[in-house]
Amino acid sequence: MKENKMPARRGRVEPVDTTGVQIPYHFRCPVSLELMSDPVTVSTGQTYDRSSIESWIATGNTTCPVTRAPLPDFTLIPNHTLRRLIQDWCVANRSSGVQRIPTPKQPADPSLVRSLLSQASSPSNPSHNRVTALRRLRALARDSDKNRSLLASPSLPLRDVMTSILFSDPDSSPPELKNESLAILAMFPLSESECAAISDDFTRTSYLTGLLFHPSIEVRVNSAAVIEAVVAGTRSLEIRAQIIDSGDVFEGIVGILSYPIPYPRALKVGIKALFALCLVKQHRHKAIAAGAASALIDRLAEFEKCDAERALATIELLCRIPAGCAAFGGHALTVPLLVKIILKVSDRATEYAAGALLALCSALERLQREAVKAGVLTQLLLLVQSDCTERAKRKAQMLLKLLRDSWPEDSVPNSDDFRCSDVVPY
């Protein structure tokens, strides 16, 4: 494999940082030429910034970037002495705008992870020691993506151990131990076989549903995250339906979305779970009965972009059933919010909002007047002439045709935008 080439260096001139301060040459990574924040030494004795040398190795290079000598292994040893010197230099030049680099957290050691898993899974180990081991594993997973990748590797039985603890007999695993295992399980994707091991067992799905009503919001959110992973990872619609039938799952998810205290993760996990559950058409009426319409509209302005798209997609799905149209149509803010979102959040959000408005206005004539009053005409005319998706434009055109009898008399013939659009008034 052809190896990447390092940038040529002419002499040992110390580069000047953007702050105007000369950075000592040996503080800069030979690969990136930037100030090192996590210096590590390879087997040849050369030191690099961790992110740079990891990228170098990840692209298939097997030699030391500086010496070109083959690397017999890819072990990276932290250079604590150099890192402390760099930190001291940063502090000394703080008045010039140089910020001190933080002390990096070291990657998890596989042998430590195996030891912690062994401690956590051993029934003979005192429960407080098992809980401590799980908390250490959870802390490692939180530290970095690299740690999570290590913990999720096939060579480590992390998810098997967590699943075993979570669904074990209550007498052998106290609630605190189960809650910690649930928190860790919620941090990782599940394979299809792992999803099947949960979804095929009614006792397990019922247990997860029961946790949606736990006094701790963190336990409730973690349970929702695992339920969402299982539903999304299960291909069979029949098995998905069985999961939904295992208890008041919609009530639990809607309760998380409606949690009164601001908790961003509750919104993110809640909408992912609700969307996954609403993909099963025959059970959408249960979401409406659980109060999903009010929860979605009341929280719609609080979602981040990706979650807002998912929320709008869920609203459009629920508006495809009569009960959904009635519930969303009964909320005073539904139509104004959907009209306002058009062309504001993203192309996908626009498409879903237009689809939901089309379903609502087709079902309830009074909502046509509400939409026109909210300014939907201008929004739709702009939409059909925008660079939005073709599906969004088609929905907009259908909605314009539907609403033509509700427009004020002077709005249609006098609209230059309308004349330029593809919509024919008559």
Side-chain angles (χ1 to χ4, degrees), residues 58-120:
T59 55
N61 296 295
T62 59
T63 61
C64 173
V66 171
T67 66
R68 297 294 179 180
L71 293 172
D73 61 69
F74 301 127
T75 302
L76 305 178
I77 302 174
N79 192 329
H80 298 298
T81 300
L82 180 56
R83 190 248 307 154
R84 283 191 288 268
L85 288 173
I86 293 174
Q87 288 177 324
D88 292 342
W89 177 85
C90 290
V91 171
N93 289 275
R94 184 168 48 191
S95 60
S96 300
V98 178
Q99 295 184 348
R100 181 182 183 275
I101 61 170
T103 300
K105 294 181 178 180
Q106 299 305 313
D109 182 356
S111 60
L112 171 63
V113 173
R114 289 190 182 89
S115 174
L116 292 174
L117 286 172
S118 176
Q119 295 174 42

Side-chain angles (χ1 to χ4, degrees), residues 93-358:
N93 289 275
R94 184 168 48 191
S95 60
S96 300
V98 178
Q99 295 184 348
R100 181 182 183 275
I101 61 170
T103 300
K105 294 181 178 180
Q106 299 305 313
D109 182 356
S111 60
L112 171 63
V113 173
R114 289 190 182 89
S115 174
L116 292 174
L117 286 172
S118 176
Q119 295 174 42
S121 61
S122 175
S124 61
N125 201 14
S127 60
H128 67 275
N129 288 343
R130 298 177 70 189
V131 170
T132 299
L134 288 177
R135 287 176 177 168
R136 291 185 65 186
L137 286 168
R138 189 178 176 188
L140 289 173
R142 282 176 168 173
D143 276 350
S144 66
D145 291 337
K146 175 172 284 189
N147 282 358
R148 283 190 291 277
S149 179
L150 169 66
L151 290 166
S153 64
S155 61
L156 294 172
L158 177 84
R159 286 166 294 200
D160 289 342
V161 170
M162 297 307 113
T163 302
S164 175
I165 295 173
L166 177 61
F167 299 114
S168 60
D169 187 280
D171 294 333
S172 61
S173 299
E176 191 176 17
L177 188 66
K178 286 176 171 284
N179 293 343
E180 285 295 332
S181 66
L182 174 67
I184 294 174
L185 196 62
M187 299 175 75
F188 298 91
L190 301 177
S191 67
E192 188 173 349
S193 61
E194 290 166 340
C195 290
I198 297 175
S199 61
D200 291 346
D201 189 329
F202 185 79
T203 304
R204 291 186 170 189
T205 55
S206 296
Y207 177 72
L208 287 174
T209 301
L211 291 179
L212 293 174
F213 302 92
H214 193 278
S216 167
I217 184 60
E218 184 179 7
V219 172
R220 292 161 62 187
V221 171
N222 288 335
S223 179
V226 174
I227 290 174
E228 186 276 329
V230 172
V231 172
T234 302
R235 295 182 180 180
S236 169
L237 292 179
E238 182 180 349
I239 295 178
R240 285 188 179 187
Q242 290 176 5
I243 296 172
I244 296 172
D245 288 335
S246 63
D248 300 326
V249 63
F250 279 111
E251 286 79 358
I253 299 299
V254 170
I256 290 173
L257 284 172
S258 304
Y259 189 66
I261 301 174
Y263 189 11
R265 184 166 175 257
L267 289 179
K268 181 176 289 293
V269 172
I271 192 55
K272 285 185 68 177
L274 183 60
F275 174 72
L277 292 167
C278 287
L279 290 175
V280 182
K281 184 178 180 180
Q282 63 267 35
H283 288 294
R284 289 174 191 166
H285 67 281
K286 293 185 178 181
I288 295 299
S294 294
L296 285 168
I297 296 301
D298 290 342
R299 295 295 193 191
L300 192 55
E302 300 176 34
F303 289 111
E304 295 179 357
K305 178 183 174 181
C306 181
D307 300 323
E309 292 174 349
R310 194 174 280 113
L312 289 163
T314 306
I315 291 173
E316 185 180 11
L317 286 175
L318 293 175
C319 284
R320 293 177 182 175
I321 62 173
C325 285
F328 283 105
H331 197 299
L333 295 179
T334 297
V335 171
L337 279 176
L338 292 177
V339 171
K340 185 178 180 181
I341 282 170
I342 292 176
L343 296 176
K344 291 290 176 64
V345 179
S346 68
D347 286 354
R348 283 187 177 181
T350 294
E351 179 185 329
Y352 299 141
L357 282 170
L358 178 60

